[in-house]
Amino acid sequence: MSRIVAVSGAGFRPYEVVIGPNLIEAIGQWPELRPGRAVAVVSDQTVFGLHGERVMAGLEASGARVHAVQVPPGEASKSFGTLEQVLDALLGHGLDRSSLVVALGGGVIGDLAGLAAALFMRGIDFIQVPTTLLAQVDSSVGGKTAIDTPRGKNLVGAFHQPRRVVADTGVLRTLPDRQLRSGWAEMLKHGLLADAAYFDVLAAIGDPVGVDDTALAEAIEQSVRIKAAVVGADEREAGQRALLNLGHTFGHALEAELGFDESLLTHGEAVALGCVLAFGYSAGEGLCAEAEVERVATAMQAAGLPTRLSDVGAFKADALLDRMADDKKAEGGRLTLVLARRIGEAFVARDVEAARVRAFLKAAGAT
Ligand code: NAD
Ligand code: GLY
């Protein structure tokens, strides 16, 4: 059975997120696939090796002319160089303004291929086929596309909404456990920022590894509903969309200090620890109850995610603060943090005093 979540907002054409098993084989059924339409499947070599053949066959069943463009796996592919290679491949395969890009992969591919689709001939259609849990619940929905530059992550990009998101839950079977848990962190984040009952459901499951397919699909659907509601209300992040950054300012600082080395800390792990820190800071400021921090940490820990700085490494408070101020979510040198009143209710706090955050980080184990 597949589930459908509609994404709509004032500034963009509505689209559907389709969630369920065996969707890849049937991908040619969707109206975006037409006989003769030129389609480029942009993927990374790992994902294409595992699932590419079935996607190509599914697309070709529609009568479309399908080409594959593969890039190396990993964050390094979100670069100007790889973007240029992808755009050149689209031109080389003869795509035109009526063509379609299919992004088959995790968030790296969704961001890269989405940006290529936004730029190619001033913007062509694309479909997201997310293959990591993180991409299914987060990055494939909402239209943010980007590459990194040596000066920072996601600094060059565009808002370009997909025409459809096809989240085949079957592809998650080949995903390494650590990646599954990283996606789970973003799902817990959705509960923490907007839906306490959903957080309780995830907390009761504990470890996502081994969760049954129906419970996983239900949870993916609920996360997508939360993200779709936020994006629908504030596509360009004028306000409410910033809530999705819960745990990200602390998390980004930790990732940056570790050189964005995914073997040391994945993005989802950084978000998990970042959420515990955001709740911890909120409790320290008297904004939320201390017991809430414990509940957040217990749920993250049950999912095999880090909850203390010492789980991840040794950090200097000043270095973390510098990174937090560098973060593009900090405006005009002031620190902007997403804080919480309780589980299910986050808010954006501007003008947070750096000295108070420094003291909190030291109490949390930074030197
Ligand atoms: P990723 O795309 O690098 O995928 C992680 C790894 O898993 C890769 O090595 C990939 O080859 C492999 N993989 C993917 N699917 C697989 C499968 N089904 N089976 C086996 N291996 C598989 O990383 P990610 O965690 O999906 O995404 C992280 C990226 O997403 C970051 O660049 C981040 O900035 C971006 N992001 C974007 C948004 C947004 O709104 N656009 C939101 C969150 C994150
Ligand atoms: N992942 C943050 C956003 O989509 O806005």
Side-chain angles (χ1 to χ4, degrees):
M1 186 199 80
S2 55
R3 303 152 187 276
I4 294 184
V5 179
V7 188
S8 63
F12 60 92
R13 191 162 34 188
Y15 57 95
E16 291 178 340
V17 182
V18 193
I19 303 155
N22 308 319
L23 295 177
I24 269 183
E25 288 78 359
I27 194 164
Q29 70 172 306
W30 299 110
E32 295 78 22
L33 279 309
R34 300 190 283 273
R37 191 174 197 187
V39 177
V41 178
V42 180
S43 189
D44 76 38
Q45 288 146 354
T46 305
V47 173
F48 197 83
L50 290 164
H51 304 291
E53 226 170 87
R54 286 184 301 131
V55 174
M56 297 294 282
L59 291 167
E60 278 159 1
S62 69
R65 293 184 289 117
V66 191
H67 309 276
V69 180
Q70 296 184 53
V71 303
E75 186 72 25
S77 281
K78 277 177 57 173
S79 65
F80 276 113
T82 313
L83 177 67
E84 186 179 357
Q85 284 165 20
V86 171
L87 289 169
D88 187 57
L90 303 187
L91 291 167
H93 288 306
L95 269 70
D96 62 23
R97 294 190 64 191
S98 66
S99 302
L100 175 74
V101 167
V102 173
L104 172 68
V108 164
I109 290 299
D111 281 10
L112 173 72
L115 182 56
L119 294 172
F120 188 79
M121 302 201 174
R122 302 192 182 87
I124 62 170
D125 290 350
F126 87 115
I127 292 182
Q128 290 268 19
V129 184
T131 63
T132 61
L133 185 56
L134 181 143
Q136 294 195 352
V137 299
D138 189 354
S139 58
S140 64
V141 181
K144 281 188 180 175
T145 74
I147 55 168
D148 307 329
T149 88
R151 291 181 189 275
K153 274 192 64 163
N154 297 324
L155 293 181
V156 174
F159 286 95
H160 189 54
Q161 300 287 347
R163 294 302 304 269
R164 180 175 302 280
V165 181
V166 179
D168 185 328
T169 49
V171 301
L172 300 177
R173 282 196 207 102
T174 60
L175 195 63
D177 291 351
R178 195 170 174 196
Q179 292 293 341
L180 195 78
R181 292 182 168 124
S182 288
W184 197 254
E186 296 279 7
M187 297 164 79
L188 283 162
K189 178 200 78 177
H190 286 145
L192 290 176
L193 71 92
D195 187 340
Y198 175 53
F199 171 83
D200 287 342
V201 169
L202 299 180
I205 290 172
D207 191 344
V209 174
V211 65
D212 76 71
D213 291 353
T214 307
L216 183 60
E218 264 171 28
I220 292 171
E221 179 185 352
Q222 184 55 17
S223 261
V224 171
R225 283 196 189 286
I226 291 168
K227 176 133 194 198
V230 173
V231 167
D234 177 23
E235 185 202 17
R236 302 286 164 131
E237 202 168 312
Q240 193 186 345
R241 187 164 179 167
L243 293 176
L244 295 170
N245 294 330
L246 175 63
H248 280 62
T249 304
F250 284 113
H252 182 271
L254 297 167
E255 286 179 286
E257 277 300 280
L258 296 172
F260 293 99
D261 182 342
E262 287 258 313
S263 69
L264 298 175
L265 186 68
T266 66
H267 177 67
E269 289 163 354
V271 169
L273 179 47
C275 285
V276 178
L277 292 171
F279 270 76
Y281 183 78
S282 303
E285 295 295 298
L287 297 164
C288 89
E290 199 64 53
E292 298 286 79
V293 191
E294 279 311 303
R295 289 175 63 207
V296 177
T298 302
M300 296 294 180
Q301 199 170 25
L305 293 158
T307 57
R308 291 171 305 200
L309 289 177
S310 58
D311 293 339
V312 172
F315 297 95
K316 291 198 184 331
D318 282 335
L320 289 174
L321 265 179
D322 282 351
R323 301 284 188 181
M324 290 169 81
D326 269 346
D327 193 300
K328 67 185 185 313
K329 291 179 268 301
E331 283 166 20
R334 300 188 301 264
L335 216 55
T336 299
L337 287 178
V338 181
L339 301 177
R341 294 197 179 86
R342 59 183 63 80
I343 288 172
E345 193 182 331
F347 66 98
V348 179
R350 302 189 197 276
D351 283 326
V352 175
E353 256 184 70
R356 298 186 77 81
V357 179
R358 183 183 292 106
F360 166 74
L361 286 169
K362 288 195 167 175
T367 54

